[in-house]
Amino acid sequence: MTEKKRPDPAVIYPLPNYENMIYVKPAIKNPNIIVGDFTYFAGKDFEAHVLHHYGFNGDKLIIGKFCQIASGVSFIMNGANHQMSCASTYPFYIFGTWDEDTPAQSDMPLKGDTVIGNDVWIGQNATILPGVRIGDGAIIGMNSTVGSDIEPYTIAAGNPARVIRRRFDDELTALMLRLKWWDLDTENINALIPLLTCNDLEKVKREIKTYLGII
């Protein structure tokens, strides 16, 4: 019997003979983009979708494990921001031909790192704005513009994106965040697939409690 091929987070193209989906982690070169194992992007060039990411700002895009990023998703970084506290938003300083010095970092509207949790699904053509934090297990609807933080295990959509509903009740959300299945090794994750793909959520609760040793 032929031995079954096991998951390998180091490959760029996880599907044989198909180059329009990549694992992001092994494909990125920018050290300020940090991505976890098995996160995939439905496209060829992930970094081309991280916009206005200039090294002098020092901001990072941090994405967890097992995220699903659809085609056309864009991450807008802090370099897109202009000063809004002045009489004009025009960035004279970037051209080098006007008599304006580069503003101090403290005078710029920098919003920090953009952080995406684990097992997050971001729908087609969604836009994630600078400094946003999206929690584990969240779902972002297609064509959404996310300008504020999204809690774990919620579904958000729209422009601007708003939470439509929670995916689970408090108990199951807490159990999933405690389980952190994405941090397990591939063999243990593989063994948990029947649980992770079960839609009987009461059964899922019971089995997570058993797995975690919760009485």
Side-chain angles (χ1 to χ4, degrees), residues 97-110:
T97 54
W98 300 92
D99 294 334
E100 184 197 15
D101 294 330
T102 301
Q105 287 259 335
S106 58
D107 291 332
M108 295 297 292
L110 303 179

Side-chain angles (χ1 to χ4, degrees), residues 47-70:
E47 289 191 48
H49 292 258
V50 183
L51 308 177
H52 307 287
H53 196 195
Y54 310 129
F56 55 79
N57 282 328
D59 55 339
K60 293 180 172 61
L61 172 60
I62 302 169
I63 302 175
K65 303 173 184 176
F66 292 93
C67 291
Q68 313 111 63
I69 303 173

Side-chain angles (χ1 to χ4, degrees), residues 80-132:
N81 286 329
H82 293 215
Q83 288 177 287
M84 294 189 291
S85 58
C86 300
S88 172
T89 59
Y90 195 84
F92 295 98
Y93 64 92
I94 70 172
F95 298 101
T97 54
W98 300 92
D99 294 334
E100 184 197 15
D101 294 330
T102 301
Q105 287 259 335
S106 58
D107 291 332
M108 295 297 292
L110 303 179
K111 298 185 177 181
D113 297 336
T114 299
V115 181
I116 313 300
N118 304 280
D119 192 23
V120 173
W121 175 19
I122 303 178
Q124 188 169 331
N125 297 323
T127 300
I128 313 301
L129 297 184
V132 162

